[in-house]
Amino acid sequence: MENNIFLFVPNIIGYIRILLIGLSCFYMSRDCVRAALYYLVSCLLDAVDGYAARFFNQNSRFGAMLDMLTDRCTTLCLLFVLCHFYPNLILLFQMIGSIDIASHWLHMHWFIEENYYNDISGGKSHKTVTEDTHWLLKFYYTSRAFLFFMCLGNEAFFWLLYVGHFTNGPAIPLLNTNLIPMLAFIFCPVATLKTAISLVHLASASRDIARIDAAEIQLKVTNEKVE
């Protein structure tokens, strides 16, 4: 096979990420240090696979889906554990996970429908914005600093909740609190905004998918009239 998509460098990095997340999940219930270490390395590799795809000119639909699904499943696995650690917040974590999965899946589905199926992808990323893209999503995807901060802050919040189950960290007498709860409080607004962005993502992708449906229906009606 001349171009074995499964052996593209960024996809191999993706497989390594999946292995690391598997190890992290294995230790999540018993060893927060090892779990965090494997999770952190996986997140660092997430920042590398995109550069590898561009450097080796190995962009692919499979790679884009692999990267997106790995990210989503990674967060979902952590939310599963948080549901166990914080049973009173199960509904909240379920909603966050559902919104995250639904918004990204629908957006990716729209991107493939709009670009690859019409053979006009031109190597574009699913993070590409158009004139019709919501202003918040435009800023989210075009500002690398903001995108990095939001993703980092969101993951940090959930991981602080996770670590907080095992320890509150060192005390901060001046603030009458401990380090882990304080940091979780600081990053909570970031995670909240990230979920809000996902809701906008979901609404925007739903609109775009509906627009494709409407265009196809109109084309079908037009063709029937011609016949």
Side-chain angles (χ1 to χ4, degrees):
M1 188 174 181
E2 185 176 349
N3 290 313
N4 192 333
I5 304 298
F6 297 112
L7 295 181
F8 276 10
V9 173
N11 296 341
I12 292 176
I13 294 175
Y15 308 147
I16 296 174
R17 287 190 62 209
I18 293 173
L19 175 62
L20 290 169
I21 290 303
L23 290 171
S24 178
C25 290
F26 177 78
Y27 286 108
M28 274 185 184
S29 62
R30 60 180 73 89
D31 190 334
C32 66
V33 175
R34 289 187 180 182
L37 177 61
Y38 289 126
Y39 197 99
L40 176 61
V41 175
S42 176
C43 289
L44 292 176
L45 288 178
D46 185 30
V48 173
D49 59 2
Y51 289 104
R54 290 186 290 273
F55 181 81
F56 293 103
N57 192 26
Q58 292 182 338
N59 293 294
S60 64
R61 278 168 280 188
F62 173 76
M65 293 296 291
L66 177 67
D67 181 59
M68 189 268 287
L69 287 172
T70 301
D71 289 342
R72 305 285 63 80
C73 291
T74 295
T75 302
L76 199 60
C77 287
L78 181 56
L79 290 174
F80 287 158
V81 176
L82 293 180
C83 284
H84 176 67
F85 287 170
Y86 302 94
N88 292 334
L89 298 177
I90 284 180
L91 180 60
L92 175 63
F93 294 136
Q94 288 174 330
M95 290 178 61
I96 292 173
S98 298
I99 292 170
D100 186 49
I101 292 290
S103 61
H104 283 84
W105 183 88
L106 199 57
H107 175 74
M108 179 63 78
H109 187 67
W110 163 79
F111 175 75
I112 293 176
E113 285 273 358
E114 184 72 10
N115 295 284
Y116 286 108
Y117 289 171
N118 294 327
D119 197 27
I120 58 172
S121 63
K124 290 192 297 183
S125 164
H126 64 280
K127 297 177 181 178
T128 302
V129 298
T130 65
E131 293 181 357
D132 296 331
T133 303
H134 190 279
W135 66 268
L136 182 57
L137 296 180
K138 280 185 179 179
F139 183 65
Y140 180 71
Y141 280 128
T142 57
S143 173
R144 288 183 176 272
F146 182 67
L147 176 62
F148 175 78
F149 175 74
M150 291 304 302
C151 293
L152 175 65
N154 187 62
E155 292 291 332
F157 173 68
F158 293 131
W159 265 97
L160 287 165
L161 291 181
Y162 168 76
V163 174
H165 174 76
F166 296 93
T167 176
N168 284 328
I172 305 177
L174 290 177
L175 299 177
N176 193 29
T177 186
N178 291 77
L179 180 62
I180 300 300
M182 184 189 72
L183 290 177
F185 179 79
I186 292 174
F187 282 108
C188 182
V190 180
T192 302
L193 179 57
K194 180 68 166 57
T195 299
I197 292 175
S198 292
L199 284 171
V200 175
H201 218 166
L202 180 61
S204 179
S206 298
R207 178 204 63 188
D208 292 333
I209 288 289
R211 183 181 299 165
I212 293 175
D213 284 336
E216 289 180 350
I217 292 173
Q218 183 60 43
L219 180 61
K220 182 178 180 181
V221 171
T222 302
N223 290 337
E224 289 177 349
K225 288 182 179 180
V226 172
E227 293 175 357

